[in-house]
């Protein structure tokens, strides 16, 4: 799985992210996270909401039309219960 997809999965359904907050969550520098946010914003694979500069924030709405994280889908499939 590529790093952009991993970042988008972490962001999906978890609110707004800046480069600094994304980097802190997935253990990368803010500079590297900024590049990932650019990839997410510019790819047709991801549906996002974006605020204006300065202090741009990005919110991932869906990945390829999917609005739930893979982790939550697997939990529902295996255990038959919704995510807490």
């Amino acid at each position: 799985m590529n790093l952009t997809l991993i970042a988008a999965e972490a962001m999906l359904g978890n609110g707004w992210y800046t480069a600094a907050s994304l980097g802190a969550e997935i253990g990368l520098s803010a500079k590297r996270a900024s590049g990932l946010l650019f990839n997410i914003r510019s790819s047709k694979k991801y549906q996002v909401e974006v605020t204006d500069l300065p202090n741009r924030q990005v919110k991932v709405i869906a990945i390829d039309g999917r609005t739930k994280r893979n982790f939550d889908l697997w939990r529902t499939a295996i255990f038959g219960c919704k995510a807490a």
Side-chain angles (χ1 to χ4, degrees):
M1 194 182 296
N2 70 29
L3 198 53
T4 302
L5 182 57
I6 291 169
E9 281 285 338
M11 295 172 65
L12 183 61
N14 285 333
W16 295 92
Y17 284 87
T18 62
S21 62
L22 177 62
E25 181 157 328
I26 61 174
L28 296 173
S29 69
K31 184 176 181 180
R32 184 84 188 264
S34 176
L36 295 175
L37 287 176
F38 174 80
N39 292 344
I40 291 168
R41 286 191 342 259
S42 59
S43 175
K44 292 181 181 180
K45 180 177 185 172
Y46 309 106
Q47 290 78 47
V48 297
E49 291 181 10
V50 180
T51 63
D52 293 329
L53 287 173
N55 299 324
R56 174 175 282 156
Q57 295 182 335
V58 179
K59 180 179 183 181
V60 175
I61 305 299
I63 301 171
D64 282 333
R66 177 175 48 85
T67 58
K68 303 260 186 211
R69 296 182 301 162
N70 276 338
F71 176 80
D72 296 333
L73 294 174
W74 277 107
R75 183 190 325 199
T76 302
I78 293 171
F79 299 112
C81 60
K82 291 185 178 181

